[in-house]
């Protein structure tokens, strides 16, 4: 009995530590992120900061609107590419592929999910960027398109792994019932199994979006990291929010440094919203 209580208190302490750590991170980002907007020697307001299209700290010009748009467009583009590929690949592995090859493919996908993100960035810099440069009207391979493709490669293994787990979790009775009513294998898969696993699939997609929008090193290598300008085409260079923080935090000071924390706060809010959506989808089991 005493051992049970001891384990209970240990688990409670670990849980509280996690909650306290999250609360401390949140409070720190809020305090540091909002600090410059209450300073008497700084006339930039939050709206101007969020909608500005130029970032030139040496000229006291701070606007991350174009960074937000670049991050959002790259993330959305990667997810649009990932969703059909992930679902079709997962369906093939779970429903149509023999057991032994399916294990090999699953292992390969899990291996891809574990590759460090900087290696994806190096692949993009060495392979995708030169290829895009050949067709880009701007003459530069570093672009929104390069970021989108790199993020798609990074997110795809994660979404496939979660989708495979969701499809495997569907009871076999669903398959048997559908087949007994006269449906063929293809109809059963796409009209019964995939809809039954939609909550897990959508949760995987949302988590993939979270990983994509929070990626740093890979996108820094292929984005171009321009100091201003809303992206007008997929061949334009962008500057994701994560890349902005990574590139300048090492030497920033004063309000410049504080506004980098503000950028981190905006990114934190994005990811928190995505995690809340993923949790709701997983609990409710609906779109």
């Amino acid at each position: 009995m005493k051992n049970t209580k001891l384990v209970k208190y240990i688990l409670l302490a670990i849980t509280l530590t996690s909650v306290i750590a999250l609360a401390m991170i949140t409070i720190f980002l809020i305090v540091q992120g909002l600090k410059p907007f209450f300073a008497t020697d700084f006339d930039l307001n939050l709206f101007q900061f969020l909608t500005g299209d130029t970032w030139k700290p040496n000229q006291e010009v701070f606007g991350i609107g174009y960074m937000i748009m670049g991050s959002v467009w790259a993330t959305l583009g990667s997810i649009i590419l990932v969703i059909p590929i992930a679902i079709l690949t997962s369906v093939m592995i779970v429903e149509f592929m023999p057991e032994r090859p399916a294990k090999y493919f699953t292992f390969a996908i899990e291996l891809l999910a574990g590759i460090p993100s900087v290696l994806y960035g190096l692949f993009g810099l060495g392979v995708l960027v030169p290829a895009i440069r050949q067709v880009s009207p701007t003459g530069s391979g570093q672009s929104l398109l390069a970021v989108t493709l790199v993020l798609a490669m990074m997110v795809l293994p994660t979404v496939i792994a979660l989708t495979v787990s969701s499809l495997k979790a569907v009871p076999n009775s669903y398959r048997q019932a559908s087949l007994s009513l006269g449906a063929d294998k293809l109809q059963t898969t796409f009209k019964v199994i995939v809809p039954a696993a939609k909550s897990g699939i959508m949760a995987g997609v949302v988590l993939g979006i979270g990983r994509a929008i929070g990626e740093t090193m890979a996108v820094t290598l292929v984005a171009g990291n321009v100091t201003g300008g809303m992206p007008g085409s997929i061949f334009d260079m962008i500057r994701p929010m994560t890349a902005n923080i990574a590139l300048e935090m090492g030497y920033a000071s004063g309000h410049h440094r504080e506004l980098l924390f503000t950028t981190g706060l905006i990114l934190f809010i994005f990811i928190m919203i995505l995690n809340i959506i993923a949790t709701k989808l997983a609990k409710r089991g609906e779109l």
Side-chain angles (χ1 to χ4, degrees):
M1 189 67 178
K2 292 182 179 180
N3 291 335
T4 302
K5 287 186 176 181
L6 179 60
V7 172
K8 178 181 177 181
Y9 290 138
I10 292 174
L11 294 176
L12 178 61
I14 294 172
T15 303
L16 289 176
T17 301
S18 302
V19 174
I20 292 171
L22 178 60
M24 291 176 64
I25 292 172
T26 304
I27 293 171
F28 174 78
L29 284 175
I30 292 174
V31 171
Q32 293 295 324
L34 297 180
K35 184 178 178 180
F37 302 105
F38 293 96
T40 57
D41 60 340
F42 195 64
D43 59 357
L44 181 71
N45 61 51
L46 184 59
F47 179 78
Q48 292 172 330
F49 177 71
L50 294 177
T51 58
D53 62 354
T54 304
W55 179 272
K56 293 182 178 180
N58 58 337
Q59 300 178 17
E60 295 292 317
V61 178
F62 301 98
I64 65 168
Y66 79 103
M67 299 183 199
I68 294 175
M69 292 306 300
S71 297
V72 169
W73 283 123
T75 301
L76 289 178
S78 65
I79 291 300
I80 290 172
L81 291 175
V82 162
I83 289 176
I85 298 174
I87 292 177
L88 294 176
T89 302
S90 302
V91 165
M92 181 64 189
I93 291 173
V94 176
E95 300 295 330
F96 295 98
M97 191 173 290
E99 183 176 355
R100 185 179 294 274
K103 289 182 178 179
Y104 294 144
F105 273 90
T106 302
F107 173 76
I109 290 168
E110 292 173 351
L111 183 64
L112 287 173
I115 293 177
S117 61
V118 67
L119 297 183
Y120 284 102
L122 290 174
F123 174 81
L125 187 63
V127 177
L128 296 179
V129 168
I132 294 172
R133 187 182 297 121
Q134 299 298 320
V135 298
S136 173
T138 65
S140 173
Q142 292 179 309
S143 59
L144 172 60
L145 177 59
V147 174
T148 300
L149 294 176
V150 168
L151 289 178
M153 289 190 297
M154 288 183 54
V155 171
L156 185 60
T158 301
V159 179
I160 290 176
L162 292 171
T163 303
V164 167
S165 299
S166 300
L167 293 174
K168 287 182 177 179
V170 177
N172 282 327
S173 58
Y174 283 40
R175 298 173 176 84
Q176 295 168 357
S178 178
L179 294 172
S180 66
L181 291 174
D184 58 25
K185 181 70 172 177
L186 199 60
Q187 291 173 326
T188 298
T189 298
F190 288 101
K191 293 186 178 182
V192 178
I193 305 304
V194 172
K198 65 181 180 181
S199 62
I201 295 172
M202 288 302 299
V205 169
V206 173
L207 291 175
I209 294 173
R211 183 184 181 189
I213 202 169
E215 176 52 39
T216 304
M217 287 308 302
V219 299
T220 301
L221 293 173
V222 300
N225 303 305
V226 290
T227 58
M230 291 287 181
S233 76
I234 59 174
F235 296 107
D236 287 343
M237 293 183 181
I238 63 171
R239 188 185 185 98
M241 291 184 286
T242 52
N244 187 52
I245 297 171
L247 289 170
E248 300 190 3
M249 184 59 76
Y251 65 86
S253 61
H255 292 313
H256 179 196
R257 181 181 177 85
E258 292 168 350
L259 289 171
L260 291 177
F261 280 111
T262 308
T263 306
L265 176 61
I266 301 301
L267 186 63
F268 181 75
I269 292 172
F270 269 104
I271 294 175
M272 286 293 292
I273 292 173
L274 291 172
N275 284 331
I276 291 172
I277 293 173
T279 303
K280 293 292 185 181
L281 289 172
K283 287 183 177 180
R284 296 174 59 184
E286 59 185 45
L287 295 176

